[in-house]
């Protein structure tokens, strides 16, 4: 069912391609989730929301491994993006991560743990304070948030904790892409006897110190997380730094 648009949404639709404008709506969850009302109140604080096809959440319709579900957020078609919040309606820990694309595009790839089949959504806040929301259903056998990490069964992981590897593409069709991998168990705290232990803050900057992106990560991000972003024009190395909720820090340089 198509719901009427507010005056602001009508003005926005006038600036969009007809196909995208036809899909724009400010009420009625396109994914028909029983929890959408709660998500709007608790996660987005009741702020104005538009379901916007320009916010793309790319994920498999069926995920065989609920502990490593690949997700890509692409909101590069939206102007003036201030922050992006990713959440999963039916996860026991709803918020997955939040990122701030300061000197890069509003694009981020990563992997997430899912406890059951759920909508995975991205809410993109633009400079006018409106949240533009996109999402997709992911079906899975579940249990991703309450299964122990592989690191918990190994005595060697502490030696490599927060070890960073990465790659930066400076030519070809993937020019400007940066990939960052960090060794970390990302324990949710939902496994008996294992407290929450996860990365909290990641900053990625260019060689001049200009921050490209800041990422706040929560427990549902998958173990040994891998992040992919687009920095645009490549000029020198990328500097990555961050910390986890126990105060362990890392710093690394990724050459082009």
């Amino acid at each position: 069912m198509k719901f009427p648009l507010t005056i602001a949404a009508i003005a926005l639709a006038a600036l969009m391609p007809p196909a995208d404008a036809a899909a724009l709506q400010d009420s009625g969850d396109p994914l028909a989730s029983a929890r959408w009302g709660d998500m709007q109140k608790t996660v987005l604080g009741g702020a104005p929301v538009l379901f916007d096809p320009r916010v793309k959440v790319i994920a498999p319709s069926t995920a065989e491994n609920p502990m490593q579900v690949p997700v890509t957020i692409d909101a590069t078609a939206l102007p003036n993006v201030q922050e992006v919040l990713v959440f999963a309606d039916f996860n026991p820990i709803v918020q997955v991560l939040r990122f701030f694309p300061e000197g890069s595009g509003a694009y981020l790839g990563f992997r997430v743990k899912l406890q059951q089949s759920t909508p995975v959504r991205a809410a993109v806040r633009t400079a006018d304070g409106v949240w533009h929301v996109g999402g997709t259903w992911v079906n899975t056998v579940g249990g991703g948030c309450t299964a122990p990490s592989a690191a918990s069964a190994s005595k060697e992981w502490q030696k490599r904790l927060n070890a960073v590897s990465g790659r930066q593409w400076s030519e070809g069709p993937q020019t400007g892409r940066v990939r960052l991998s960090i060794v970390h168990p990302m324990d949710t705290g939902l496994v008996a006897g294992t407290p929450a232990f996860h990365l909290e803050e990641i900053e990625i900057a260019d060689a001049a110190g200009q921050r490209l992106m800041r990422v706040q990560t929560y427990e549902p991000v998958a173990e040994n997380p891998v992040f992919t972003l687009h920095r645009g024009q490549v000029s020198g190395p990328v500097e990555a730094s961050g910390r986890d909720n126990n105060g362990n820090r890392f710093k690394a340089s990724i050459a082009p």
Side-chain angles (χ1 to χ4, degrees), residues 174-230:
Q174 299 191 75
T175 297
R177 176 173 292 193
V178 178
R179 181 167 294 162
L180 176 70
S181 177
I182 308 167
V183 176
H184 204 285
M186 298 300 291
D187 291 311
T188 61
L190 300 178
V191 178
T194 304
F197 183 39
H198 59 92
L199 292 167
E200 279 192 331
E201 187 93 10
I202 301 167
E203 292 190 1
I204 302 170
D206 63 20
Q210 172 64 43
R211 192 158 59 194
L212 302 174
M213 182 178 288
R214 180 165 60 94
V215 186
Q216 295 176 348
T217 50
Y218 308 113
E219 295 92 323
V221 172
E223 181 179 6
N224 297 329
V226 178
F227 301 98
T228 302
L229 65 145
H230 287 298

Side-chain angles (χ1 to χ4, degrees), residues 35-80:
R35 292 214 64 202
W36 167 247
D38 291 337
M39 296 299 98
Q40 187 174 7
K41 291 176 183 178
T42 61
V43 178
L44 302 180
V49 168
L50 287 174
F51 294 105
D52 196 326
R54 293 173 295 176
V55 179
K56 302 184 186 304
V57 179
I58 304 164
S61 58
T62 301
E64 296 182 0
N65 184 353
M67 297 183 69
Q68 294 280 345
V69 181
V71 175
T72 298
I73 308 301
D74 185 351
T76 53
L78 271 174
N80 302 316

Side-chain angles (χ1 to χ4, degrees), residues 107-199:
Y107 177 102
L108 187 66
F110 53 94
R111 292 178 181 266
V112 63
K113 299 187 285 282
L114 296 180
Q115 185 65 13
Q116 59 182 302
S117 298
T118 181
V120 177
R121 306 184 193 260
V124 180
R125 183 173 63 84
T126 47
D128 57 5
V130 174
W131 288 100
H132 300 254
V133 178
T136 187
W137 267 96
V138 178
N139 296 299
T140 181
V141 294
C145 294
T146 52
S149 64
S152 64
S154 170
K155 297 180 179 179
E156 298 297 319
W157 70 268
Q158 292 187 26
K159 298 178 181 179
R160 301 187 60 228
L161 179 68
N162 280 340
V164 178
S165 60
R167 181 179 177 184
Q168 186 179 180
W169 283 262
S170 59
E171 58 183 21
Q174 299 191 75
T175 297
R177 176 173 292 193
V178 178
R179 181 167 294 162
L180 176 70
S181 177
I182 308 167
V183 176
H184 204 285
M186 298 300 291
D187 291 311
T188 61
L190 300 178
V191 178
T194 304
F197 183 39
H198 59 92
L199 292 167

